[in-house]
Amino acid sequence: DAGVIQSPRHEVTEMGQEVTLRCKLISGHNSLFWYRQTMMRGLELLIYFNNNVPIDDSGMPEDRFSAKMPNASFSTLKIQPSEPRDSAVYFCASSFGRASGYTFGSGTRLTVV
Amino acid sequence: SQQGEEDPQALSIQEGENATMNCSYKTSINNLQWYRQNSGRGLVHLILIRSNEREKHSGRLRVTLDTSKKSSSLLITASRAADTASYFCATEGTSGSRLTFGEGTQLTVNP
């Protein structure tokens, strides 16, 4: 298994542009988590899905952020319009559910200029 | 806000020494997990300890959990330069499978 795969690895975009981050889960995992990591705020949970259903999106900063999970193996996180303060490393992680460790992707480093 | 708080924020030791990192949390948990993050990489799951367990071992790692004090410790024995990384504790609450991560401890093992 190739693990959790995120794309792109790096994204540099101009303020106001739409950004789409992608994540492919490990086969058989039924929970998907999107985290954002910054020096100032550490690791923040943005949203998580269980069996393709969004369970908790209270961490999504604003309406500019949206996440979808169209099938059991794929998810997208979209920022529209992007702002410089969105610059961070975005991780997705998947798991079998409760009491199982997460498998993280390598992250997408987003820079909004 | 982060539930877990690691202590110390940074630790620098010599190869061969033991490294101990601590984590405190605030609410009831189902389990506590430790992760390692190398610079520029994703987090890697190290070990999970359930709320009814007090100690767990995995190779050179030893984790303890004291639910009465709401604290955990991660001990890395006979450290190696390759152990240099940030170490995070994460707690799973009693409802739901989401993890809340602490701020991390930056461990530097000098050769």
Side-chain angles (χ1 to χ4, degrees):
Chain A
D1 197 326
V4 174
I5 300 172
Q6 290 187 246
S7 64
R9 284 298 310 275
H10 302 274
E11 176 81 29
V12 180
T13 190
E14 290 186 345
M15 183 172 63
Q17 296 297 307
E18 177 180 297
V19 175
T20 299
L21 311 181
R22 296 174 176 79
C23 175
K24 184 175 183 302
L25 284 71
I26 288 179
S27 177
H29 281 192
N30 61 3
S31 296
L32 179 282
F33 307 83
W34 281 101
Y35 282 86
R36 177 171 68 178
Q37 187 177 37
T38 61
M39 289 292 291
M40 292 296 293
R41 300 170 71 92
L43 270 163
E44 302 173 277
L45 177 66
L46 301 177
I47 185 172
Y48 82 94
F49 296 82
N50 197 40
N51 294 320
N52 306 359
V53 176
I55 303 300
D56 183 353
D57 65 354
S58 59
M60 296 285 261
E62 300 168 33
D63 291 344
R64 299 184 296 107
F65 286 68
S66 63
K68 293 182 180 178
M69 196 166 176
N71 57 57
S73 61
F74 184 73
S75 177
T76 59
L77 177 68
K78 185 179 292 187
I79 308 172
Q80 166 63 20
S82 58
E83 297 182 2
R85 60 194 167 118
D86 301 331
S87 297
V89 181
Y90 291 80
F91 289 102
C92 74
S94 68
S95 77
F96 285 115
R98 298 200 69 186
S100 64
Y102 288 10
T103 301
F104 277 79
S106 297
T108 294
R109 181 173 294 277
L110 173 65
T111 304
V112 183
V113 297
Chain B
S1 63
Q2 300 288 333
Q3 158 148 272
E5 296 182 4
E6 283 92 340
D7 166 48
Q9 286 189 322
L11 179 62
S12 181
I13 59 174
Q14 295 299 123
E15 212 165 23
E17 293 180 339
N18 295 342
T20 299
M21 288 160 272
N22 303 297
C23 169
S24 60
Y25 58 92
K26 296 185 175 68
T27 61
S28 296
I29 63 171
N30 184 43
N31 63 74
L32 184 145
Q33 305 178 27
W34 284 90
Y35 288 78
R36 183 187 72 222
Q37 183 180 32
N38 289 89
S39 180
R41 308 296 296 272
L43 282 75
V44 174
H45 180 254
L46 296 176
I47 196 166
L48 181 153
I49 186 165
R50 299 177 192 274
S51 60
N52 61 354
E53 297 175 310
R54 292 296 167 258
E55 187 170 314
K56 205 160 183 180
H57 297 255
S58 176
R60 294 184 296 112
L61 305 181
R62 173 177 169 254
V63 169
T64 62
L65 178 65
D66 187 336
T67 52
S68 66
K69 295 180 180 177
K70 291 186 167 54
S71 67
S72 173
S73 67
L74 171 67
L75 168 69
I76 304 174
T77 60
S79 63
R80 305 166 182 167
D83 295 330
T84 295
S86 292
Y87 290 81
F88 294 86
C89 70
T91 52
E92 181 183 286
T94 51
S95 60
S97 58
R98 58 176 292 170
L99 289 181
T100 303
F101 285 82
E103 302 294 330
T105 293
Q106 173 61 50
L107 173 67
T108 303
V109 182
N110 301 299

